[in-house]
Amino acid sequence: MIRLVVANQRGGVAKTTTALVLARIYADQGKRVLLIDTDSQGSIGTVISLKSKYHLSDFLVGHIALEECLVRAHPNIDVLPSNRHTSRAEDLITAQGFREFVFEQMFGPYEHDYDVILVDVAPSITLFQTCAMVYTRRVVIPVAMEILSVQGAMASLESARTLNTMFCNSYHLPVETVGMVPVMVDRRLAMTNIILDTLDQICEKTGVPRLSAIRTDTSVVKANKERQFLADFDPKSKALEDYTVVADEILTVMEQLNGIPQAQCKSA
Ligand SMILES: Nc1ncnc2c1ncn2[C@@H]1O[C@H](COP(=O)(O)OP(=O)(O)OP(=O)(O)O)[C@@H](O)[C@H]1O
Ligand SMILES: [Mg+2]
């Protein structure tokens, strides 16, 4: 069972792209995927043009059954879409006790229907990012080739570390960062090489794996415009090839992490 949140507190760094492309890669491997959008921008539904009557907020606070809120985006992919009402649901849940465990409580009973649960989050610290990290306990961080993206990645690492400290001490449930993924990589650019070096140093210092890079690829943007999965729009695209490598790396790291005794959990 793979549960993973795609996070970076900087906007526009390919979180949604990463969640969507990984979802499709795992689905094409025959895995049953649940893709949860927690961003009130509702990007997942927009990018692949989903029509939905209900959204995340209807499931979490509106007492609508999960099955009714899901949209089948592909034979192996169910999407729980988000919209602007997600923020209101967050406000309501903020007032509850044990709010960090809401996703665990709400999604836990449906886990047996899926092999992979991926969560896309907003580019800021939100309650639902915390809920997603507590639920999945595994985080992957895409990092675009600019300084603010590195800062956003550090902020996400810090969030994971804070939760890890809280939950590792109290509940023995470590939140682990599966890896940093350099995205929109074009090695002809000087800034790209600077950021890659910086990322390597951060990964070495924190012990977080540095996963393979995803190249800049216009097919990603074009697929978005056409409201298609990248795998349908351009099955031979460079980005899809790179994401396929990263999808395997994530599985390998997850297996290693799952083999680590809980008591030895790291700080990030
Ligand atoms: N490998 C790539 N090559 C070229 N463009 C890319 C690549 N990956 C993502 N993009 C483009 O970058 C833009 C931002 O991507 P995306 O929406 O996935 O970021 P995000 O982190 O989810 O943004 P937000 O924080 O607003 O939710 C999109 O226009 C997307 O098409
Ligand atoms: Mg997004």
Side-chain angles (χ1 to χ4, degrees):
M1 175 78 201
I2 300 159
R3 287 188 247 134
L4 189 64
V5 53
V6 184
N8 182 319
Q9 281 161 28
R10 170 75 177 155
V13 301
K15 293 182 292 296
T16 300
T17 302
T18 301
L20 268 169
V21 177
L22 287 177
R24 179 57 188 268
I25 289 168
Y26 291 132
D28 285 344
Q29 292 172 355
K31 298 180 173 70
R32 298 162 302 163
V33 180
L34 172 62
L35 181 54
I36 303 169
D37 188 0
T38 67
D39 184 353
S40 56
Q41 294 178 97
S43 306
I44 299 243
T46 308
V47 171
I48 51 171
S49 191
L50 297 178
K51 300 265 175 297
S52 47
K53 182 174 174 193
Y54 297 118
H55 299 81
L56 177 70
S57 61
D58 297 303
F59 172 61
L60 292 179
V61 297
H63 307 291
I64 305 290
L66 181 66
E67 306 85 66
E68 289 194 54
C69 299
L70 295 177
V71 183
R72 178 72 36 103
H74 177 270
N76 275 342
I77 304 177
D78 286 341
V79 175
L80 179 54
S82 176
N83 64 2
R84 63 196 162 82
H85 297 305
T86 291
S87 308
R88 214 178 86 77
E90 263 180 324
D91 290 344
L92 289 171
I93 290 171
T94 297
Q96 293 179 11
F98 292 105
R99 54 187 172 258
E100 291 85 2
F101 292 91
V102 159
F103 279 24
E104 187 137 343
Q105 183 196 345
M106 296 296 284
F107 292 108
Y110 299 93
E111 277 186 4
H112 58 270
D113 292 334
Y114 298 99
D115 304 302
V116 177
I117 298 181
L118 287 167
V119 188
D120 185 23
V121 298
S124 54
I125 302 173
T126 61
L127 171 63
F128 285 173
Q129 177 186 280
T130 300
C131 291
M133 284 188 179
V134 168
Y135 172 52
T136 65
R137 307 212 178 91
R138 299 290 181 260
V139 186
V140 69
I141 305 180
V143 186
M145 298 297 101
E146 35 108 15
I147 286 295
L148 289 174
S149 181
V150 176
Q151 288 175 355
M154 295 303 289
S156 295
L157 266 186
E158 192 51 42
S159 298
R161 186 175 287 131
T162 304
L163 291 170
N164 200 16
T165 306
M166 287 164 58
F167 296 118
C168 194
N169 291 341
S170 320
Y171 299 95
H172 303 287
L173 303 173
V175 177
E176 301 273 10
T177 304
V178 172
M180 300 241 202
V181 185
V183 294
M184 294 186 254
V185 169
D186 180 348
R187 288 177 193 273
R188 293 168 302 182
L189 303 176
M191 182 52 91
T192 292
N193 292 307
I194 292 168
I195 298 292
L196 285 176
D197 285 347
T198 307
L199 212 50
D200 282 343
Q201 287 165 21
I202 292 170
C203 288
E204 200 179 337
K205 202 168 152 198
T206 57
V208 171
R210 206 278 248 162
L211 305 182
S212 293
I214 311 296
R215 286 168 285 179
T216 301
D217 185 347
T218 51
S219 285
V220 175
V221 183
K222 289 179 189 163
N224 283 0
K225 278 202 185 118
E226 294 298 318
R227 305 279 183 253
Q228 288 183 23
F229 281 103
L230 183 58
D232 292 325
F233 179 78
D234 183 0
K236 296 197 186 321
S237 67
K238 290 181 292 182
L240 185 59
E241 187 185 323
D242 296 340
Y243 271 116
T244 304
V245 174
V246 167
D248 283 346
E249 290 174 347
I250 288 171
L251 295 185
T252 304
V253 176
M254 299 265 274
E255 272 170 27
Q256 287 165 356
L257 286 174
N258 292 344
I260 294 174
Q262 303 277 299
Q264 290 176 21
C265 64
K266 298 178 296 180
S267 58

